[in-house]
Amino acid sequence: MKKPIIMDCDPGHDDAIALLMALANERLEVRAVTTVGGNQTSAKTLINAMKVLSFAGIHHVPVAAGASKPLVRDLEIAPEVHGDSGLDGPELPEPAFSASPLSALELMEKVISESQVPITLVPTGPLTNIARLLIAAPHLKQKIERISLMGGSAVGGNWTPAAEFNIMVDPEAAEIVFESGIPITMCGLDVTHKAQIFNSEIEEIRQQGGKVAVMVAELLDFFAKFHQEMGFEGSPLHDPCAVAWLIKPELFISQNLHVDIETCGEYTDGATVVDIHGITGKEKQVDVVFDIDREGFIQLLKDSLQCYHQGEVRS
Ligand code: BDR
Ligand code: CA
């Protein structure tokens, strides 16, 4: 049976690729896409998600707008990474369908409560929507199988020396999620900085056939410019790791550990404090992902994009 998931995202170049990977895979069933303010404002991330699905010819998955700001802080966005639209690079037509009349919170509640089997949540942006869901409907926790998220790191940040962007934008939400008791897979910078795609592989994607692959190559061209200026050899495909871990966990190496969220440190605000040596003795609630078979992961991406070209993705 396919694993039912909800993608909660802030597209975002790597979010868009994560969405396309999830929607193409026969092991996953995307029951809803919810969006959140993060890489860009919530108005832009909603439109971006709808544009990506429309371009890929997917009209059966509801897309709902979520939180426009973090639980208690002002929203910080990342136009330097993702551009003014949040998805700069390819020319994407306007969406071919309307957003769900439900809010992200209402749609998640509906999908989870109506499901016969537990749902897996895949957040690839700030955790605001997920925290709001857990606050509003704590009884639904038992129907959430796992949260496979992109965020945090055991060592070092990318937004501050200590904090990764998704957690830094809304640490109070992250704290609620990490203390929820729901099993968590944390694809943080430890693994995503190893999940890089190189220019030669972007060219292979462009040449592999199909308009979705060409669009992904154009997204990656834009994404690569920022990362090359930052000194990376390739571009880290952060968000697709959270999806790939569900499809092919054998590509990854992780350790089950306790993780706390820093919400008030002078230098460490927004950090995920990973108890690598088991010093706190607290419950090990997080599978912290540290390593990846990079080539196997890139092959999974190429195979996913091939499914669009061959008409194998449900519209
Ligand atoms: C995360 O921040 C965003 O810019 C990316 O989409 C990813 O989710 C990486 O720190
Ligand atoms: Ca993201």
Side-chain angles (χ1 to χ4, degrees):
M1 189 198 159
K2 288 184 172 207
K3 186 183 283 297
I5 67 171
I6 296 175
M7 297 288 297
D8 182 62
C9 56
D10 61 338
H13 294 68
D14 51 336
D15 300 80
I17 297 168
L19 278 171
L20 291 167
M21 185 186 271
L23 288 158
N25 197 270
E26 61 188 12
R27 294 193 191 167
L28 302 178
E29 183 190 342
V30 182
R31 298 244 174 120
V33 174
T34 52
T35 59
V36 64
N39 287 323
Q40 260 298 349
T41 62
S42 57
K44 291 185 182 179
T45 60
L46 172 69
I47 292 294
N48 289 345
M50 291 163 58
K51 282 183 173 176
V52 170
L53 266 62
S54 295
F55 188 82
I58 293 162
H59 304 118
H60 68 283
V61 179
V63 181
S68 56
K69 68 179 286 298
L71 292 186
V72 295
R73 304 183 185 216
D74 291 333
L75 178 64
E76 255 186 84
I77 57 174
E80 54 275 62
V81 190
H82 300 275
D84 185 53
S85 70
L87 211 50
D88 277 13
E91 282 295 320
L92 290 174
E94 290 304 309
F97 59 90
S98 307
S100 167
L102 303 180
S103 68
L105 192 57
E106 290 165 341
L107 182 60
M108 285 193 284
E109 281 192 55
K110 180 173 183 314
V111 168
I112 297 168
S113 54
E114 287 177 358
S115 177
Q116 299 295 315
V117 292
I119 299 282
T120 296
L121 305 181
V122 189
T124 59
L127 290 163
T128 321
N129 287 340
I130 310 296
R132 289 178 65 178
L133 171 73
L134 299 177
I135 294 167
H139 61 284
L140 291 182
K141 277 184 200 172
Q142 64 205 34
K143 292 198 70 186
I144 300 173
E145 181 171 293
R146 173 172 288 270
I147 300 175
S148 178
L149 62 87
M150 190 283 137
S153 68
V155 182
N158 62 357
W159 210 245
T160 72
E164 180 278 328
F165 177 77
N166 288 341
I167 306 295
M168 181 69 239
V169 170
D170 199 345
E172 287 75 19
E175 186 175 40
I176 290 168
V177 171
F178 277 70
E179 290 185 358
S180 66
I182 299 166
I184 292 174
T185 299
M186 180 176 115
C187 293
L189 301 175
D190 315 287
V191 64
T192 67
H193 280 176
K194 295 176 185 166
Q196 292 189 28
I197 185 160
F198 301 118
N199 282 345
S200 58
E201 292 162 336
I202 298 174
E203 285 318 310
E204 285 163 15
I205 286 176
R206 200 185 322 275
Q207 299 304 326
Q208 79 178 68
K211 67 172 196 168
V212 176
V214 172
M215 186 265 277
V216 165
E218 288 172 2
L219 283 173
L220 289 168
D221 291 340
F222 184 91
F223 209 43
K225 274 188 220 137
F226 169 81
H227 287 99
Q228 280 160 13
E229 280 164 21
M230 293 287 291
F232 283 91
E233 193 188 340
S235 298
L237 292 179
H238 303 285
D239 296 338
C241 287
V243 173
W245 188 89
L246 292 170
I247 299 170
K248 280 197 161 188
E250 65 274 17
L251 294 176
F252 297 91
I253 293 175
S254 57
Q255 234 183 305
N256 188 237
L257 298 166
H258 180 78
V259 179
D260 283 310
I261 307 296
E262 180 60 88
T263 57
C264 58
E266 187 177 357
Y267 302 110
T268 55
D269 200 18
T272 42
V273 181
V274 177
D275 186 6
I276 292 180
H277 302 295
I279 291 167
T280 61
K282 292 191 205 162
E283 190 203 348
K284 298 177 177 180
Q285 87 279 39
V286 182
D287 289 311
V288 181
V289 187
F290 284 99
D291 213 343
I292 185 168
D293 167 357
R294 195 198 70 84
E295 287 174 6
F297 170 70
I298 298 295
Q299 190 58 50
L300 174 63
L301 173 61
K302 289 179 180 170
D303 293 347
S304 308
L305 298 174
Q306 198 60 24
C307 292
Y308 292 94
H309 189 37
Q310 291 171 344
E312 288 168 4
V313 181
R314 188 187 154 198
S315 58

